[in-house]
Amino acid sequence: MESGSRADRHTTVEELPMQLGLIGLGRMGGNMRERVRAAGHEVIGFDADPSIRDVGSLAALVTRLSSPRVVWVMVPAGEPTRSVIDALRGLLAAGDLVIDGGNSRFSDDEVHADVLRERGIGYLDCGVSGGVWGLEEGYGLMVGGGDADVARAMPIFDALRPEGKRDEGFVHAGPVGAGHYAKMVHNGIEYGLMQAYAEGYELLAAEPRITAPDAVMGAWQKGTVVRSWLLDLLVSALREDPGLSSISGYTEDSGEGRWTVEEAIAHAVPVPVISAALFARFSSRQPDSPTMKAVSSLRQQFGGHQVRTLEAAQS
């Protein structure tokens, strides 16, 4: 029977202290290094920033690790990850294991796995959720790959995940690609949840009867069916900056929402909430919407409705 204490996790042979090479020590990677070290493992980190890295090059990192090696890649998706995977292919040896913990598209994982497999190097993809709070709270982990590779890296996964039952913060989601696919859907859901909270806040703020929208949302944090960590974070932000006057509504997307919608189309699965949340982010980047200009123009054309000129809107 599994214990929830971190100390108990490292009493079995397979959970003795490990070595881990960690590439990418940014906002998440740096905190992950500290959390894994706190669990009793040795972490050797490399980053482009010399002020935070433990070794000066990827080659030096590989040299410091004992065989068979485990290397975790925590760099931006796309070309940065591909470049690191390609470099590791030439530096690592058969029997070593690479874990991609970034937000790579799931379709890239099979390519990475194939490239490394040619040299006898194993590969896991791991979707990681937790952001800057993960150091204290732990990280939600979604892993794709073979059973033996997952078992081998489990002490590291146990160090990173939240305290408590393993299956409440970790899942072996399936073969290579499944981890990042699960994280993609997770992030799509996140888009929808954030949009719903944000729209609710705007409606509360628009009603004169509501004298303290932040207090209303704060009262939802306990006992209600809409309580969540995202709600807690929004309430915290509103208390720090009532009305959110110090920030712009311009909102980027890092790709996962788009991929979720693309996959929904491919599988003919309706995702209207996630789609609307993604499109709302697109709208946030438009100082003046061409779509709504066209709508206004059409109303004037067919109905003679009054339109507001750009000059009048800016005055």
Side-chain angles (χ1 to χ4, degrees), residues 58-82:
L58 289 179
L61 180 145
V62 171
T63 300
R64 285 273 301 273
L65 295 172
S66 301
S67 296
R69 308 171 185 90
V70 178
V71 178
W72 189 302
V73 180
M74 204 69 191
V75 302
E79 185 54 37
T81 295
R82 285 191 287 271

Side-chain angles (χ1 to χ4, degrees), residues 29-218:
N31 283 344
M32 290 168 67
R33 173 174 62 175
E34 297 311 307
R35 187 170 175 90
V36 174
R37 283 176 174 172
H41 303 292
E42 180 184 3
V43 183
I44 301 165
F46 171 77
D47 193 273
D49 182 350
S51 68
I52 59 176
R53 65 194 184 194
D54 302 316
V55 291
S57 67
L58 289 179
L61 180 145
V62 171
T63 300
R64 285 273 301 273
L65 295 172
S66 301
S67 296
R69 308 171 185 90
V70 178
V71 178
W72 189 302
V73 180
M74 204 69 191
V75 302
E79 185 54 37
T81 295
R82 285 191 287 271
S83 295
V84 171
I85 295 294
D86 187 60
L88 290 175
R89 179 181 181 274
L91 292 169
L92 295 176
D96 293 341
L97 175 65
V98 173
I99 305 170
D100 177 11
N103 278 330
S104 294
R105 184 179 170 89
F106 67 92
S107 54
D108 289 344
D109 290 315
E110 291 185 6
V111 177
H112 296 160
D114 288 344
V115 165
L116 294 171
R117 190 181 299 112
E118 293 173 358
R119 299 292 300 274
I121 303 166
Y123 178 84
L124 296 173
D125 57 285
C126 183
V128 181
S129 180
V132 296
W133 297 89
L135 175 59
E136 296 299 326
E137 301 290 335
Y139 300 89
L141 305 174
M142 295 143 269
V143 179
D147 291 343
D149 288 333
V150 173
R152 176 178 168 189
M154 190 58 72
I156 300 301
F157 295 142
D158 275 343
L160 287 169
R161 67 175 177 83
E163 299 285 353
K165 296 180 179 178
R166 182 182 285 166
D167 60 6
E168 292 180 351
F170 169 89
V171 63
H172 181 190
V176 166
H180 280 146
Y181 197 100
K183 179 59 163 46
M184 173 193 73
V185 176
H186 165 284
N187 282 23
I189 293 169
E190 182 183 289
Y191 278 40
L193 290 172
M194 287 193 289
Q195 186 68 24
Y197 285 128
E199 291 175 5
Y201 162 71
E202 182 173 3
L203 183 56
L204 288 170
E207 171 52 53
R209 293 182 182 85
I210 302 297
T211 57
D214 57 334
V216 172
M217 301 194 87

Side-chain angles (χ1 to χ4, degrees), residues 149-311:
D149 288 333
V150 173
R152 176 178 168 189
M154 190 58 72
I156 300 301
F157 295 142
D158 275 343
L160 287 169
R161 67 175 177 83
E163 299 285 353
K165 296 180 179 178
R166 182 182 285 166
D167 60 6
E168 292 180 351
F170 169 89
V171 63
H172 181 190
V176 166
H180 280 146
Y181 197 100
K183 179 59 163 46
M184 173 193 73
V185 176
H186 165 284
N187 282 23
I189 293 169
E190 182 183 289
Y191 278 40
L193 290 172
M194 287 193 289
Q195 186 68 24
Y197 285 128
E199 291 175 5
Y201 162 71
E202 182 173 3
L203 183 56
L204 288 170
E207 171 52 53
R209 293 182 182 85
I210 302 297
T211 57
D214 57 334
V216 172
M217 301 194 87
W220 295 347
Q221 292 178 278
K222 303 290 184 182
T224 77
V225 296
V226 298
R227 64 189 185 274
S228 76
W229 189 32
L230 284 174
L231 176 63
D232 294 344
L233 294 174
L234 178 55
V235 170
S236 177
L238 288 168
R239 287 173 178 164
E240 292 174 7
D241 181 12
L244 305 177
S245 57
S246 67
I247 62 173
S248 164
Y250 187 104
T251 307
E252 285 286 5
D253 69 284
S254 54
E256 295 92 338
R258 300 183 188 215
W259 304 339
T260 303
V261 173
E262 290 171 3
E263 282 300 295
I265 293 169
H267 291 287
V269 173
V271 290
V273 172
I274 295 173
S275 299
L278 175 64
F279 296 149
R281 295 194 181 195
F282 296 164
S283 296
S284 79
R285 303 168 204 166
Q286 297 178 320
D288 196 22
S289 168
T291 297
M292 298 317 297
K293 283 186 176 183
V295 170
S296 182
S297 176
L298 285 168
R299 292 183 75 248
Q300 182 186 45
Q301 290 291 326
F302 71 71
H305 299 286
Q306 185 177 359
V307 298
R308 190 178 186 188
T309 65
L310 184 59
E311 182 180 351

